[in-house]
Amino acid sequence: MPNKNINFENVPESITKPKHYHKGGIDVIGFLQEHFPERKYTISEGFFIGNAIKYICRYKEKNGIEDLEKAADYVQRLMELEKGSESIAENS
């Protein structure tokens, strides 16, 4: 669901639609909004998932291995969060 309070009318497309996030007609932000709806994921989960996908999608056009390392870091953080959640559920 797009934020209706922000007016992007006068913002250049280089800011709102960078080429490294728009490939083959697929928009990373739109993908995330559709596949990771509000209230299904915690803020932390959404942040880790979104950043991992973002870095994977852009690594060839931007920072190569560095972006893949960043994606791996966010996946690791998500896994640690999930393991912590499982541990809490098991001890309840």
Side-chain angles (χ1 to χ4, degrees), residues 18-28 57 61:
K19 290 179 184 173
H20 51 269
Y21 294 134
H22 299 267
K23 296 183 211 166
I26 298 172
D27 168 44
V28 174
C57 288
E61 286 80 20

Side-chain angles (χ1 to χ4, degrees), residues 56-72:
I56 290 168
C57 288
R58 77 177 204 187
Y59 86 96
K60 287 278 191 187
E61 286 80 20
K62 226 165 167 210
N63 300 316
I65 294 295
E66 180 183 342
D67 278 350
L68 293 176
E69 289 169 341
K70 289 177 182 180

Side-chain angles (χ1 to χ4, degrees), residues 37-81:
E38 295 177 33
R39 296 181 176 80
K40 185 173 181 181
Y41 298 89
T42 67
I43 292 170
S44 294
E45 290 168 336
F47 185 78
F48 297 155
I49 292 166
N51 278 302
I53 291 171
K54 170 184 77 172
Y55 285 119
I56 290 168
C57 288
R58 77 177 204 187
Y59 86 96
K60 287 278 191 187
E61 286 80 20
K62 226 165 167 210
N63 300 316
I65 294 295
E66 180 183 342
D67 278 350
L68 293 176
E69 289 169 341
K70 289 177 182 180
D73 178 62
Y74 282 109
V75 169
Q76 184 63 41
R77 290 170 189 259
L78 180 62
M79 290 174 19
E80 289 171 9
L81 185 68

Side-chain angles (χ1 to χ4, degrees), residues 79-92:
M79 290 174 19
E80 289 171 9
L81 185 68
E82 284 297 314
K83 288 176 184 175
S85 296
E86 289 173 6
S87 174
I88 291 170
E90 289 172 2
N91 294 325
S92 294

